[in-house]
Amino acid sequence: NRITLLRDADGDGVAETRSTFLEHLNSPFGMALVGDALYVANSDAVLRFDYHTGQTALTGPGTKLVDLPAGPINHHWTKNLIASVDGRKLYVTVGSNSNVAENGMAAEQGRAAIWEVDRLTGAHRVFASGLRNPNGLGWQPDTGALWTVVNERDELGNDLVPDYLTSVQDGGFYGWPYSYYGQHVDSRVQPPRPDLVAKAIAPDYALGSHVAPLGLAFATGPALSPLLGHGAFVGEHGSWNRKPRSGYKVVFVPFANGQPDGLPVDV
């Protein structure tokens, strides 16, 4: 329930100091600094804290910008966020409350989605839906498009369903829970919704089944190596639902012309 501050004063990649920056939160996951405001995505709300350059600790409860779906189950609780380039909007991930809606769709209200939130007023809408558990977010440098990584459904076997990296279309529906990877129907979900399946968008890039991607960051140049200068870094948490297990690493997905181009490279 806290955010830890690490300071590397001499730039050698090793933090000389470690201290508590912000505490008394509720399972924070996402953070975004916009001007003089730090936004934190708790498991149940987005909070705003005043921030001034150089501060080493923040105090106070913050100001609630918007409530997020939570409740006593809160199955996928990690809420991430990213600010738009102009700083006017926040985009917030809200995972599903189940594997494949086994608790009913009423428990999924506003979930399995990415929200668009007005940074000043808290007004919000569902930007894209049918995303079982989106986590990492990033702006693709060439196109300016929003991309995300998504944890797909479990219990269909070791090699289904691929977790993925995809661009996110405004108003797009990506299938969950009725279908996966586009329009592949999941017959476990009843009643079926062929009307929604027909609208389901296939994601751009399969990362592998049950690798559980959480982090996403686009490269901003060849700082690590020329081979890692243009594409996306993905942090894979790995999953319980595969034998042998996979993931548990950072991979690099090369891009060309704004799209993935080639197999992932182990970093």
Side-chain angles (χ1 to χ4, degrees), residues 5-257:
L5 175 67
L6 304 174
R7 277 282 167 87
D8 173 20
D10 56 11
D12 66 351
V14 178
E16 290 83 34
T17 63
R18 175 190 177 107
S19 61
T20 297
F21 183 69
L22 186 57
E23 55 187 345
H24 308 302
L25 297 167
N26 186 17
S27 295
F29 188 81
M31 297 181 289
L33 181 63
V34 185
D36 61 356
L38 176 69
Y39 295 89
V40 177
N42 274 344
S43 65
D44 57 359
V46 175
L47 303 181
R48 180 192 188 279
F49 295 87
D50 292 332
Y51 173 79
H52 302 288
T53 300
Q55 275 188 276
T56 57
L58 302 183
T59 58
T63 302
K64 183 189 295 184
L65 179 65
V66 62
D67 285 310
L68 299 175
I73 301 176
N74 208 12
H75 185 62
H76 292 120
W77 61 267
T78 51
K79 310 296 200 301
N80 199 16
L81 60 80
I82 193 173
S84 61
V85 176
D86 63 9
R88 294 177 56 246
K89 306 289 187 182
L90 299 175
Y91 294 85
V92 184
T93 66
V94 182
S96 67
N97 212 12
S98 61
N99 180 29
V100 282
E102 58 269 20
N103 300 317
M105 289 305 289
E108 306 295 344
Q109 188 68 31
R111 303 189 71 129
I114 294 175
W115 288 20
E116 181 185 74
V117 180
D118 186 282
R119 188 175 67 84
L120 298 180
T121 68
H124 59 278
R125 68 183 180 100
V126 171
F127 182 77
S129 60
L131 299 154
R132 179 179 175 272
N133 187 22
N135 276 279
L137 294 165
W139 300 106
Q140 207 285 323
D142 300 315
T143 65
L146 180 65
W147 285 67
T148 190
V149 288
V150 176
N151 292 225
E152 252 292 356
R153 65 203 70 200
D154 290 324
E155 300 175 344
L156 285 178
N158 291 330
D159 297 313
L160 283 176
V161 171
D163 297 329
Y164 59 82
L165 166 70
T166 192
S167 57
V168 184
Q169 298 181 26
D170 189 353
F173 174 71
Y174 290 81
W176 189 90
Y178 305 103
S179 65
Y180 58 85
Y181 224 82
Q183 300 176 8
H184 297 86
V185 173
D186 191 333
S187 60
R188 297 175 296 178
V189 183
Q190 298 295 325
R193 287 290 305 270
D195 56 324
L196 290 179
V197 171
K199 299 177 181 179
I201 299 168
D204 291 289
Y205 189 88
L207 291 165
S209 297
H210 311 298
V211 298
L214 295 184
L216 171 64
F218 280 99
T220 56
L224 292 180
S225 93
L227 298 178
L228 304 177
H230 199 75
F233 295 95
V234 178
E236 298 177 350
H237 173 275
S239 169
W240 60 274
N241 194 230
R242 189 174 193 277
K243 293 182 180 179
R245 291 185 173 184
S246 57
Y248 304 94
K249 59 186 176 182
V250 176
V251 299
F252 179 78
V253 179
F255 269 61
N257 301 315

